[in-house]
Every structure is written in C-alpha cells, then in structure tokens.
Amino acid sequence: MTSRVFAAGLVAALLAGVAPLAAAEPESCASPRFSDVGWTDISATTAVAGRILTSLGYEPRIDILSVAVTYEALPRGDVDIFLGNWMPLQEPTQKPLVDAGRIDVVRANLEGALIGLAVPKAAYDAGLRTYADIAKFGDAVDHRIYGIEAGSSANATILDMIKADKFGLKDFTLVESSEQAMLAQVKRAARSEKPIVFFGWRPHPMNVNIEMDYLTEGDDVFGPDDGAARVLTNTRPGYLADCPNVGRFLSNLVFSVEAEDLMMSYILDDGMTADAAAEKWLRDNPAALDAWLDGVTTREGAPGVPAARQALGL
C-alpha cells in the first residue's frame, strides 16, 4: 500500500512539475520536533506550522520548553525547529551557538517587530516617557519593573540594567511572571490609572487592548531604534540538509505583524487554543499556502498545496 501511494504521489508530482523532495527524506524527518517557549506569538506560529505539516502527512511534535532549555536542546538535536528567535534580544545566547555551528539560522520569519519597556498611556502622558524617567517615578511604580518568565532574555536584559544602575535603576526589582499574569497586572494598573513599567512587544494584542506607549531613549538596551526587532527561525545543525522538504517549507515560512496580532487575539481575547487559532486563521487566509508551500510536497511526494487545502478543508 505504501509503495502504491508513494508511486501515485511521485507521478502526480512529476506531472505537476514539482520535484518530489520528500523522497530524499529519511524516516527521522517524519516527526519534526518544535520548541514552543509559551509566548503567545510563538505558540500561534508554531501551531500554524504544525497544522500545515500535519496536512502534508507529517507528525510534528511540539514541546513547551523555556528559551534556555531550547538553546540547550537544539545543539544536541533533541529539538529540530524553533520559530521564536527574537533578535537582537536573544543575540547573546544565539550568536555564540551560530558562530560555533551548533545551531542554524534559516531566515527571518517576522520583520517589523518591537520589544522594550512600556507604560500605560496615562503614565506616559504624566511624563514617564523615556528610560531615564523610570527612576523619577520610582515611588509611583513601587520600584518594580514587570517582566516575563524566569530565564528569558528579556528578563536578563532588565536585570543587567538594574545591576549596572543604568538609568538609575539600582533600587528597582524585576518581577518575573508569566506573560498572562504580567498582562493581568498591567490591565489592573491601567484601569486605575496607576503607573506601571513592564516589558512589552509587538506583535501582540496588548498593543490594541491596552492604551500604552513604549519608552524611548533606551540607549539601545533592547537593540537599535529602541527595540526594533525581527524573529528568526532556528534549527538544529544540518536539519535543512537532512530534511529538505520540511526545510523548503521553513525557508518559505514568513508571517506579518498583522497576522500574528490577529492569531494572538484569537488566543488571548477569544479563549481559543493555539491550534484552534491556527485553524481559523488558515481557513480565513488560504492564499498563504501558495507561497508557503511553493516547491513543497507531501511526505509521499505529491504536490503540497492541493494536498494541504484538501486536508484543511479549504
């Protein structure tokens, strides 16, 4: 049965003028292993990638891992793919591994991102507008800066600022928390018009759901242009050569800020799971498959776009 299915797929691929890339993949490529670090944007994009690969006959595995564990697992080959390499924030962790050939960079899967410290609009209007203003509002913000999960590069950057007394922050404390808990705290403060300083980023529904502004004049702490960022796709070393069909898909896979804002809103505002959000976005945006699956086949070697459309009910 498997031989007949593969042969049929091979003929279809040849008739369509598509090289049967999957034929060159070993069985180990059948279950691509993703790291999802639990950030809503990465959960959403990873779910999209996983759903598309499933539609092509793969059996992707997605594990929830911290950033630190992810960058230990990729060089060991325990994880194949990571869609959440925020740059330049993670450069201190990523660059030595890239330079040593211990992880590979596929491409930027998102441009136009932004990271940095932010405040509710009321605090910004009251004069908390730059990084140097934080210390001036020390009592008002309880000498606290709200970050995300322990071990993240964002928290490490904030801790370095505090330890170095940059911007006069030596008496401040970093509050480490989950993304959801941090945002709940920010929303409570914003409703009561109490100043709060927190780590923000775009894309994220927070930029729509909370009246907020990003602080400026950050002396490139979170990167040039006050935290302008992009997100890269990383793999274990040699993965694209070992699994060229999945590799072609990863080389094609790129998102927009608007698409991620929407998927993240489905999750955070509408209570969808990441998988359900991915399904909805794909149903509403089927044309994305044409570019993402250009030159990509099913596991059996058939053209990828029609197979994915059929499997996804598009």
Side-chain angles (χ1 to χ4, degrees):
M1 175 63 75
T2 300
S3 297
R4 291 199 298 272
V5 171
F6 175 77
L10 177 61
V11 171
L14 291 174
L15 289 175
V18 178
L21 297 177
E25 290 186 338
E27 187 62 29
S28 59
C29 297
S31 298
R33 298 164 298 175
F34 287 82
S35 169
D36 173 3
V37 292
W39 304 337
T40 309
D41 57 330
I42 307 308
S43 294
T45 56
T46 302
V48 167
R51 188 64 192 89
I52 293 173
L53 287 171
T54 298
S55 76
L56 297 177
Y58 291 88
E59 297 178 357
R61 190 184 83 193
I62 300 173
D63 292 321
I64 304 297
L65 305 171
S66 70
V67 173
V69 171
T70 296
Y71 280 116
E72 292 173 358
L74 280 167
R76 290 198 307 261
D78 294 335
V79 165
D80 297 315
I81 304 161
F82 178 43
L83 300 181
N85 177 200
W86 276 74
M87 294 292 280
L89 181 65
Q90 293 172 346
E91 186 169 8
T93 301
Q94 182 251 50
K95 190 175 186 302
L97 295 172
V98 172
D99 290 346
R102 300 186 66 204
I103 64 170
D104 291 341
V105 175
V106 178
R107 66 163 299 158
N109 65 58
L110 180 69
E111 301 278 2
L114 177 67
I115 55 175
L117 296 184
V119 296
K121 185 177 185 300
Y124 189 85
D125 291 343
L128 180 42
R129 301 184 177 190
T130 71
Y131 281 70
D133 292 328
I134 299 173
K136 301 174 188 176
F137 282 74
D139 291 338
V141 300
D142 299 324
H143 291 89
R144 294 177 179 177
I145 298 174
Y146 286 80
I148 49 177
E149 80 282 351
S152 68
S153 298
N155 285 8
T157 298
I158 296 169
L159 285 171
D160 286 345
M161 289 170 54
I162 293 171
K163 290 177 182 177
D165 193 24
K166 198 168 184 65
F167 308 111
L169 297 177
K170 66 179 180 180
D171 295 326
F172 276 69
T173 299
L174 170 67
V175 180
E176 296 185 307
S177 181
S178 68
E179 171 190 326
Q180 291 78 8
M182 179 197 75
L183 290 175
Q185 183 72 24
V186 171
K187 288 176 181 178
R188 284 193 294 270
R191 282 195 298 268
S192 63
E193 297 192 352
K194 175 178 171 56
I196 186 172
V197 180
F198 62 98
F199 178 67
W201 64 95
R202 181 180 297 152
H204 195 282
M206 74 172 83
N207 298 281
V208 177
N209 298 334
I210 301 171
E211 286 193 285
M212 57 182 281
D213 289 282
Y214 290 85
L215 301 183
T216 59
E217 300 179 26
D219 195 25
D220 293 346
V221 166
F222 285 100
D225 300 321
D226 282 322
R230 57 185 186 146
V231 184
L232 308 183
T233 298
N234 297 161
T235 66
R236 65 166 173 81
Y239 183 74
L240 265 61
D242 294 340
C243 302
N245 193 52
V246 180
R248 178 64 179 260
F249 169 61
L250 295 176
S251 297
N252 293 342
L253 188 64
V254 59
F255 299 90
S256 69
V257 171
E258 293 77 14
E260 293 196 24
D261 275 344
L262 194 55
M263 285 188 280
M264 295 167 76
S265 179
Y266 295 155
I267 297 169
L268 295 175
D269 300 331
D270 300 339
M272 292 186 182
T273 65
D275 286 339
E279 289 267 5
K280 175 173 173 52
W281 193 89
L282 286 167
R283 285 197 304 271
D284 293 343
N285 299 273
L289 294 175
D290 295 337
W292 288 349
L293 297 181
D294 179 30
V296 178
T297 72
T298 67
R299 270 284 295 157
E300 300 294 344
V305 172
R309 286 180 176 271
Q310 181 177 4
L312 293 167
L314 303 178

